[in-house]
Amino acid sequence: MATLREAQKEMTRKLLLDAGLELFVSKGYATTTVDDIASAAGTTRVTFYAYFPSKVDLMKALIAERLNRELDRVPSAEHGSTERELVAVVQDGSPERIRAWLTATSARWDAIRPYTTTAFEAAAVDPEIRALLDEWLNEAIGDIEDGLDRADRFPAGTRHFRSVIAITELDHVARHWTPGHWGVEREQMLDVLTESWIGSIGQH
């Protein structure tokens, strides 16, 4: 019986997260209410609050749980979360490894875009989400910096800035590029992005 109750609780939480994300994408984070989410999930605001203290907390869960899972990010004592493969790719620094990683990552952009687009929209109106998003981006920046430190590549004082450039560039392209956008198709986009990463963080 306890197992069934736990399964029902997990399903209700999943329905609330699904409904929240769908509404944030279709209606916008700022205009979506707790009642909207509860109704779309087939439940009540009382039930919503039993799972999430606020709309902000539901958005936090979408980032911390689902977005990190989509990006293979795992808990890390140093950074909050880490993607070990990214650290290894940057440490290697070869054009082949960088291109392969960017290609694999770009295949997930359609899946992660609803989360990242919503997170940036939420950050514009909510300081808590803005702080969480900054922290999340800093975790990815930390992965690149770790890789550069392990490779002992580039002057130590420039490694953090190089990492900021690489992640900022990747994040913007991941959120906005679609086939033909900016005049480039997928392979051209990956060629140019790879060139840029090699220039800023790769082996020369």
Side-chain angles (χ1 to χ4, degrees):
M1 199 66 176
T3 306
L4 179 59
R5 273 200 304 273
E6 285 303 314
Q8 288 172 332
K9 283 175 68 175
E10 192 56 40
M11 177 56 70
T12 300
R13 190 174 188 276
K14 179 183 182 300
L15 288 171
L16 288 167
L17 287 167
D18 289 346
L21 180 63
E22 189 174 327
L23 284 167
F24 292 159
V25 170
S26 63
K27 188 176 178 180
Y29 176 84
T31 55
T32 297
T33 66
V34 166
D35 284 332
D36 291 335
I37 297 169
S39 177
T43 187
T44 65
R45 67 184 290 129
V46 172
T47 300
F48 177 97
Y49 287 123
Y51 289 84
F52 301 102
S54 67
K55 181 175 74 169
V56 172
D57 290 282
L58 185 142
M59 186 69 238
K60 286 180 178 178
L62 287 171
I63 296 171
E65 297 170 24
R66 294 193 173 184
L67 182 55
N68 276 347
R69 186 174 65 226
E70 289 285 353
L71 293 171
D72 295 330
R73 300 196 65 78
V74 297
S76 159
E78 293 87 2
H79 299 303
S81 74
T82 186
E83 184 188 349
R84 295 191 182 102
E85 178 62 15
L86 175 55
V87 178
V89 165
V90 175
Q91 182 177 0
D92 178 277
S94 66
E96 296 76 20
R97 284 288 296 275
I98 289 174
R99 171 60 185 247
W101 185 86
L102 288 171
T103 299
T105 297
S106 69
R108 295 181 285 191
W109 287 354
D110 286 343
I112 68 169
R113 194 168 286 157
Y115 298 96
T116 53
T117 301
T118 297
F120 271 83
E121 184 189 333
V125 296
D126 194 298
E128 278 189 76
I129 300 298
R130 185 159 58 248
L132 181 67
L133 187 58
D134 286 346
E135 183 182 318
W136 182 80
L137 288 169
N138 282 332
E139 290 168 2
I141 289 165
D143 283 343
I144 292 187
E145 193 170 0
D146 280 354
L148 292 177
D149 286 343
R150 291 181 188 185
D152 196 23
R153 190 160 61 247
F154 301 113
T158 71
R159 290 172 192 162
H160 179 73
F161 182 51
R162 288 174 179 278
S163 304
V164 169
I165 290 172
I167 287 298
T168 302
E169 178 180 55
L170 177 64
D171 169 71
H172 187 82
V173 174
R175 282 188 294 119
H176 297 287
W177 180 83
T178 53
H181 191 48
W182 300 319
V184 291
E185 298 300 329
R186 177 183 169 81
E187 291 305 307
Q188 293 171 305
M189 175 273 294
L190 287 168
D191 284 345
V192 176
L193 193 55
T194 299
E195 284 174 23
S196 182
W197 267 42
I198 292 166
S200 56
I201 61 172
Q203 284 193 36
H204 290 228

